[in-house]
Amino acid sequence: MTVVVQHERARGEHEVTAAAEVPPPPPPSATGIKTRILSLDAFRGFVMFLMLAEAMHLMNVRRAYPESVFWSIVAFNTTHVPWQGCSLHDLIQPAFSFLVGAAMAFSIVSRTSRGESWNRMLLHAMWRSVALIFLGIFLRSLNSQQTYWTFEDTLSQIGLGYTFLFLLAFTSLRVQVVAFTAILVGFWAAFVLYPLPPEGFDYTQVGVRADWPHLYSGFLAHFNKNSNLSWAFDVWFLNLFPRAKPFLYNGGGWSTLSFIPTLATMMLGLWAGRWLMTSKSTTEKLKGLVIGGVALTLAGLILQWLHICPIIKRIWTSSYTLYSGGLVVLILAGFYALIELKGWKRWAFPLLVIGANSIAVYVMSWTMESFVSSALVRHLGAAPFLVFGPPFEPVLRGFGVVLVFWLILFWMYRRRIFLRI
C-alpha cells in the first residue's frame, strides 16, 4: 500500500470549477459552486479530536467522583454504550463515514473539472477501497503475532463500501433514494428473518455474561449480541482466513456486515455535500440541514419506540443509521451556522489543523499514543501530571499526548504536507 504525501496550495480548499462536464447526472448547481466549505473542514477536525481525546481517559474520572452528575455525563459520552443507545463517542465513526461521503461530492466535481475520465476515477475509487480495507487490518494487527483478519475497523468499513458509493454518486437522486431505502429495509429484514437462538441458548459461550442486562426478549431478540445475523456471518466468513484460533465471536459484538448500512451513512454525507454546493443562500442551506437532521433523528427514535428496530451502533442497525446520521447532520449544522452564517472562523483554526490530516491522525492514534505517553513521563517525570491529584493523572498525560500530536500536525500543516490515499 502506498500513502501519497501531497503539497497543497490551500488547506481545506475543494478545487471546484464551474465548467465541469460530468457523466450524468451532474452534481446540483454546477455553476457558482463555493470552492471552500470551512465548516466541513472544522467539523472533520472536531471528529478527529474526539478520537484523539480517548487518550485522556476521561471516562475513568467518574470512579473517583461516583456522585458527580457532571463526571457521569462526561463518562457516558467518552465511551461506547454497552449495546442499545448512543453517546457522543458513538458518533465518531458515523461522522467520519458521513464526511467521506461529503468529500466525495466535492472530489467528483473537482476531478471532472480537471478532465479526468470516469474510468480513471473508478480505478482510483477501487484503489482507495482496497487501501482502506488493508490499512484497517494492518492497524488491528499491531498487537498480534500474525495478520488479524477483521473488518470492523472504521477504515475497513469505509473501504468495503467506498466503490459502491462512487458508483451510486453517478446515478440519479431517485435511484440513490431507492438504494438507500433498500439498504435500510433489507438490512433490517435480514436480521428479522434470521432465526432466533434456540430456547436455553448459552450466551456465555459467545462472550456474553450470564447477568448481562442488555439482552432482549421476544421480537427484538433478533438483535441480541452475538446471536444475530451479523455474528453468524462472521463465524463463517472470518474463519475463511488464517487465524491463530477459530473465530467464535467478537467480544464487543462488532461485525463485518455493518459496512452495508455504513454505506447509507456515507450516502447521507454525499447528499449533504451536494446540498452545500448548490447556489441556495447560506440561510436556506442551514435550514435544510436542520430539517434533515431533525427528520432523520426522529425517524430513528420512532423505529426504536415502536420496538421495530433498536438503536445499536455495534451492529449498525437501520434505526441507528438514521438516528446517528441525523445527529451528525445537526452537529454539522451547528458548525455551518457559526462559521458560514455568522462568519466566526478564527476559533476553528486548531480543528482545521487536525482535520487537514485525518488519515495521519487515525494512524498516529493507533501507533504512537503509547510511545508518546511513556516518553512524556520518562522525560518530564510523573509530578507534572499529578498536580490535580491521582484521578486526573491519566487526563493530563493524555492531554500531553494530544498536544504533542497537534504540534506534529501543525508542523505538517505549515509545510502543506497532507497525507492522502
Side-chain angles (χ1 to χ4, degrees):
M1 188 194 77
T2 303
V3 177
V4 180
V5 181
Q6 298 179 334
H7 294 268
E8 299 184 354
R9 293 192 302 273
R11 163 67 209 115
E13 184 168 346
H14 308 283
E15 295 175 40
V16 181
T17 58
E21 290 185 4
V22 205
S29 185
T31 59
I33 295 174
K34 190 174 182 180
T35 60
R36 181 170 179 170
I37 309 294
L38 197 66
S39 51
L40 275 174
D41 298 324
F43 183 34
R44 184 182 300 108
F46 174 68
V47 172
M48 302 315 294
F49 169 76
L50 291 178
M51 189 188 72
L52 288 180
E54 292 181 37
M56 299 170 66
H57 301 284
L58 289 167
M59 76 291 291
N60 295 330
V61 179
R62 182 181 58 176
R63 297 174 185 173
Y65 304 97
E67 304 300 322
S68 170
V69 174
F70 173 78
W71 286 112
S72 294
I73 294 173
V74 170
F76 176 82
N77 284 290
T78 51
T79 189
H80 294 298
V81 298
W83 197 243
Q84 179 178 300
C86 183
S87 66
L88 179 62
H89 195 69
D90 288 313
L91 293 178
I92 295 175
Q93 185 174 350
F96 194 76
S97 303
F98 175 93
L99 286 164
V100 168
M104 181 175 283
F106 288 93
S107 176
I108 288 175
V109 178
S110 175
R111 288 174 178 273
T112 52
S113 71
R114 296 198 300 265
E116 289 192 26
S117 68
W118 186 86
N119 288 338
R120 181 176 179 181
M121 288 190 288
L122 174 61
L123 288 175
H124 181 262
M126 295 171 65
W127 149 250
R128 179 169 287 184
S129 291
V130 173
L132 289 171
I133 291 169
F134 282 97
L135 180 56
I137 293 171
F138 171 79
L139 294 174
R140 294 280 174 166
S141 303
L142 289 176
N143 296 318
S144 301
Q145 297 300 312
Q146 65 180 70
T147 302
Y148 178 58
W149 293 98
T150 183
F151 299 88
E152 85 270 12
D153 183 82
T154 300
L155 298 184
S156 296
Q157 290 279 294
I158 292 172
L160 287 168
Y162 191 82
T163 299
F164 296 106
L165 178 68
F166 174 83
L167 295 173
L168 284 167
F170 287 93
T171 63
S172 67
L173 179 60
R174 180 178 180 179
V175 170
Q176 291 171 14
V177 171
V178 169
F180 180 84
T181 304
I183 288 170
L184 297 190
V185 174
F187 197 69
W188 170 82
F191 268 74
V192 171
L193 293 174
Y194 182 77
L196 289 171
E199 187 175 349
F201 180 77
D202 187 0
Y203 277 95
T204 62
Q205 296 300 308
V206 290
V208 181
R209 299 193 325 265
D211 61 344
W212 201 58
H214 305 286
L215 291 175
Y216 300 113
S217 59
F219 177 76
L220 292 185
H222 287 285
F223 302 93
N224 273 341
K225 181 179 179 180
N226 291 344
S227 64
N228 55 62
L229 171 69
S230 287
W231 162 77
F233 175 83
D234 276 348
V235 170
W236 166 75
F237 179 65
L238 296 181
N239 282 310
L240 298 176
F241 299 90
R243 315 189 69 83
K245 58 182 180 179
F247 177 86
L248 299 177
Y249 59 84
N250 182 288
W254 312 102
S255 65
T256 302
L257 288 182
S258 293
F259 87 89
I260 298 173
T262 296
L263 172 58
T265 300
M266 292 193 288
M267 291 179 70
L268 292 175
L270 177 71
W271 292 337
R274 287 184 168 173
W275 171 252
L276 295 178
M277 285 195 296
T278 64
S279 59
K280 295 183 181 296
S281 69
T282 301
T283 302
E284 288 177 304
K285 292 177 184 178
L286 176 60
K287 186 182 297 184
L289 290 176
V290 172
I291 293 173
V294 170
L296 288 167
T297 303
L298 286 177
L301 285 172
I302 289 171
L303 289 175
Q304 177 167 280
W305 291 339
L306 295 178
H307 290 186
I308 295 174
C309 184
I311 295 172
I312 304 172
K313 177 190 187 297
R314 294 169 188 258
I315 51 176
W316 214 285
T317 56
S318 298
S319 55
Y320 172 78
T321 304
L322 296 170
Y323 180 73
S324 64
L327 293 179
V328 167
V329 172
L330 290 174
I331 297 173
L332 172 60
F335 277 84
Y336 192 81
L338 292 175
I339 296 174
E340 311 297 342
L341 184 65
K342 294 293 186 180
W344 301 339
K345 300 178 181 180
R346 292 185 179 181
W347 67 274
F349 177 74
L351 298 178
L352 296 177
V353 170
I354 300 174
N357 263 306
S358 55
I359 291 294
V361 171
Y362 197 91
V363 174
M364 288 165 61
S365 70
W366 273 91
T367 60
M368 295 175 57
E369 180 183 327
S370 296
F371 169 77
V372 174
S373 180
S374 300
L376 288 172
V377 176
R378 183 182 309 117
H379 298 292
L380 300 179
F385 307 109
L386 289 167
V387 65
F388 295 126
F392 292 94
E393 187 271 340
V395 177
L396 293 181
R397 187 148 45 94
F399 177 79
V401 171
V402 174
L403 180 60
V404 170
F405 282 178
W406 190 88
L407 291 173
I408 294 172
L409 294 167
F410 180 65
W411 176 85
M412 296 172 70
Y413 183 91
R414 289 288 301 271
R415 284 156 181 78
R416 299 287 187 255
I417 301 173
F418 307 115
L419 271 64
R420 301 285 185 263
I421 292 180

